[in-house]
Every structure is written in structure tokens, then in C-alpha cells.
Amino acid sequence: MKTAIVSYGSPEWSMGMAACTDLARYYNLPAWGYGGSSDSKIVDAQAGIEARFRFTTAFLSRCTLVHDVAYIEYGMTSSMEQFVIADEIIAMVHRLVDGIPVDRNTLALDAIGRVHPGSGFLADEHTLANFRNAQWSPRLDRPQALR
């Protein structure tokens, strides 16, 4: 209140976005939210933490459109470095909200039946067919051959 500047870093900012999204959904309207934004003046740990918090809130409240990606310094600056970080955070949050699939492949009952005491799952054909997609990994850190 003393500066009249929006605080992207406050939990209340995300709570307000979630409340507006709930109202929009109730009235069957699209709702935009914000994610990847920070009060930090530089790309640092604060910027990463606040961006992650905003994206998680936007995804969990099911915003129709997410705005303010890579805004730092309470929206006064846009950062290409923060944009790259935001892309990784978005991929991670996507994985979180997609949940755990439960189907014939993920239950792996055939693999469970093949493995017996004294052996293991690492050499099983099911593990070989699924290990690359079983766990999220950052796009920036992956070797080109695994993309």
C-alpha cells in the first residue's frame, strides 16, 4: 500500500488469481492468470521460487491463459534468462498436474510376474521400454540424443 506497486511475490497475489479463476469458471468464462513473475530485480533464487509458486497456483487453479511469464522487478522488466527458467518450470508443473497414469503399461503386471526373488526389474524388457519417460528430466540438461 505504501508504494502502490503490485507485489508479485506475495501469496495474496496468487490467492486473488485463484479466486478470480474460480469465479470465471462458475460463470463459464475464460480466466487469465499470471505465472513466472517475480518481485526480484535480478534472476536469482527469489525469482525462481516466486515463478514456481505462481505457475503452480495458475495450473492448479486451471487458468485459461497464463500471462506475465518472465516478468521480474514487479513487472517492470522482462528477462530472457528468466524465460528459459520459466520454460523448465512450466514443463515440471505440467508433469505434476498430469498426475500418475494408471493403465496396463504403468501397472506392469507382466513385469511383476516375470521378476522373482534374486532377480530385478532393471534387466526386464518393460523397464527398458519405459525408463526414458518414467521420470521427468529438464530439457536444458538432457543430452541431444535423449530428446
Side-chain angles (χ1 to χ4, degrees), residues 26-76:
Y26 178 80
Y27 290 108
N28 200 26
L29 296 170
W32 73 273
Y34 18 87
S37 50
S38 173
D39 289 335
S40 180
K41 292 175 176 41
I42 61 172
V43 178
D44 59 1
Q46 176 188 347
I49 290 166
E50 290 176 359
R52 169 60 189 239
F53 189 73
R54 293 304 147 255
F55 280 127
T56 302
T57 306
F59 275 72
L60 292 177
S61 61
R62 298 180 297 167
C63 292
T64 312
L65 172 76
V66 178
H67 188 266
D68 294 6
V69 175
Y71 281 14
I72 59 173
E73 196 177 6
Y74 46 82
M76 298 297 290

Side-chain angles (χ1 to χ4, degrees), residues 58-138:
F59 275 72
L60 292 177
S61 61
R62 298 180 297 167
C63 292
T64 312
L65 172 76
V66 178
H67 188 266
D68 294 6
V69 175
Y71 281 14
I72 59 173
E73 196 177 6
Y74 46 82
M76 298 297 290
T77 306
S78 184
S79 164
M80 295 313 293
E81 295 88 354
Q82 183 72 4
F83 196 79
V84 171
I85 293 167
D87 186 56
E88 289 293 307
I89 294 171
I90 291 167
M92 187 182 283
V93 175
H94 260 293
R95 180 65 178 236
L96 173 73
V97 299
D98 284 347
I100 300 171
V102 178
D103 56 29
R104 180 179 224 86
N105 185 54
T106 60
L107 288 175
L109 296 177
D110 294 339
I112 292 169
R114 286 189 296 271
V115 174
H116 51 81
S119 67
F121 290 97
L122 288 179
D124 190 80
E125 63 189 54
H126 183 272
T127 303
L128 185 60
N130 290 281
F131 81 95
R132 290 179 196 247
N133 297 319
Q135 186 174 2
W136 179 86
S137 63

